[in-house]
Amino acid sequence: VFTDAERRGDFSQLLNEKGVQLFNRISPSNKPPYPNNQIPLSLMSTTAKNLFASDFYPKATNSNLVSNTVNTSRSYINADQGDAKVDYNMSERDHLFGRVSKEYLVNPGTNSIPVLIGSETDNTMESAVINWTHTLNPNIVNEARFGINHVLYTNGDSSGTLGNFGEALGIPGANDHGPGLLRLVMSDLTVNSIGDRNLATREGSTAIQASDGMIISMGRHIIHTGFELIHTRQNLYYAGNNGAWGDMNFGNRYTGSSGSDFFVGMASE
């Protein structure tokens, strides 16, 4: 994370330890260096100011330029399944069978640093079937069946307690597609990226089946006849490679490092 000094515009440690000189890009041909990598607080962006003031973004626990905080990740799998079944002999010639099943599985992932964004995976599986067997006479038995099977899989990022944090930082439209924080990419390895793109997926599949079968015994011969109809419906959603939330990239194009580019609010793309 940003050091306490960097949050005040003091990036001298970056110069002393990494040899990275920051500059003030007034124009492509006019880039005077910041003396001792001191960026005036008047140039701090609203987004940076709001991030540093937020409880969701931790303070450095030591004076190191890197490895100055600790994040703890946690995940678990919780699955619940239930089945109900009925067998009923309505008469000597009729037997009815029914079953309903449902399973629900969740697999969340959390981070102790909220702006690193957690994940959420949900699986729901539901099925039902009813079967009626009817004996017309000693030589003819008919079996009719109707069933439905539904599976829904969702996967994506979890905003946790962040709420509309992107807009709270001062990024217009950041939460048009839901609560959370878009990915703010900082790539020079001294400051970690925060937020995420939310590569959300939702895959639903439903299969409906109706069938009827008849067995006819004719002396030494047995005839099987009937039909089966299956209707399948699939609903797929993918947020795209840029995700539902998107991202903003801070390289080193404007001031010399991605962390300082973020500090002054100058994104590469």
Side-chain angles (χ1 to χ4, degrees):
V1 295
F2 285 86
T3 66
D4 291 343
E6 289 172 335
R7 299 174 196 222
R8 300 190 301 269
D10 181 0
F11 288 80
S12 59
Q13 191 174 5
L14 186 63
L15 176 62
N16 297 332
E17 295 185 12
K18 302 293 184 180
V20 177
Q21 173 64 60
L22 303 183
F23 50 85
N24 182 7
R25 179 171 169 147
I26 300 173
S27 70
S29 59
N30 185 10
K31 299 186 291 184
Y34 288 111
N36 197 34
N37 277 3
Q38 303 290 320
I39 301 178
L41 285 176
S42 60
L43 297 180
M44 182 191 296
S45 70
T46 300
T47 299
K49 185 182 300 183
N50 291 336
L51 179 68
F52 299 156
S54 172
D55 293 334
F56 293 130
Y57 189 71
K59 297 185 180 301
T61 57
N62 56 52
S63 60
N64 295 337
L65 189 62
V66 296
S67 301
N68 54 21
T69 194
V70 176
N71 176 64
T72 301
S73 298
R74 177 176 178 266
S75 67
Y76 66 88
I77 296 176
N78 184 39
D80 296 292
Q81 180 176 341
D83 302 277
K85 178 181 176 182
V86 174
D87 273 299
Y88 178 45
N89 289 318
M90 296 184 293
S91 68
E92 292 183 356
R93 293 190 172 191
D94 296 283
H95 174 258
L96 190 67
F97 162 80
R99 176 185 54 79
V100 176
S101 300
K102 183 171 183 177
E103 179 179 357
Y104 183 63
L105 181 148
V106 294
N107 178 208
T110 60
N111 290 295
S112 60
I113 299 178
V115 292
L116 295 184
I117 308 299
S119 61
E120 186 72 43
T121 299
D122 296 336
N123 281 329
T124 301
M125 290 156 278
E126 301 169 306
S127 64
V129 62
I130 185 168
N131 191 96
W132 174 35
T133 303
H134 175 64
T135 303
L136 282 80
N137 58 52
N139 298 320
I140 303 177
V141 177
N142 190 79
E143 181 179 17
R145 172 173 293 195
F146 178 82
I148 185 169
N149 184 69
H150 173 67
V151 177
L152 178 62
Y153 168 82
T154 60
N155 180 63
D157 289 334
S158 171
S159 60
T161 59
L162 285 177
N164 293 337
F165 191 60
E167 293 179 355
L169 292 182
I171 304 174
N175 295 112
D176 285 352
H177 297 283
L181 176 63
L182 75 165
R183 186 164 179 79
L184 302 177
V185 182
M186 288 170 268
S187 56
D188 62 9
L189 303 182
T190 58
V191 179
N192 283 342
S193 301
I194 59 175
D196 209 351
R197 296 184 179 94
N198 191 10
L199 303 176
T201 59
R202 181 182 175 91
E203 303 174 10
S205 176
T206 302
I208 302 173
Q209 176 182 341
S211 63
D212 187 88
M214 182 176 289
I215 301 175
I216 304 173
S217 300
M218 302 176 62
R220 298 171 59 184
H221 303 279
I222 297 177
I223 299 175
H224 292 264
T225 185
F227 68 89
E228 182 178 55
L229 299 176
I230 299 176
H231 173 72
T232 302
R233 182 177 66 244
Q234 291 185 320
N235 298 305
L236 306 177
Y237 166 78
Y238 173 54
N241 293 337
N242 290 323
W245 299 345
D247 58 29
M248 296 178 67
N249 288 279
F250 297 88
N252 57 7
R253 179 183 302 176
Y254 297 104
T255 62
S257 81
S258 62
S260 55
D261 274 10
F262 173 79
F263 184 89
V264 299
M266 303 183 77
S268 302
E269 57 183 28

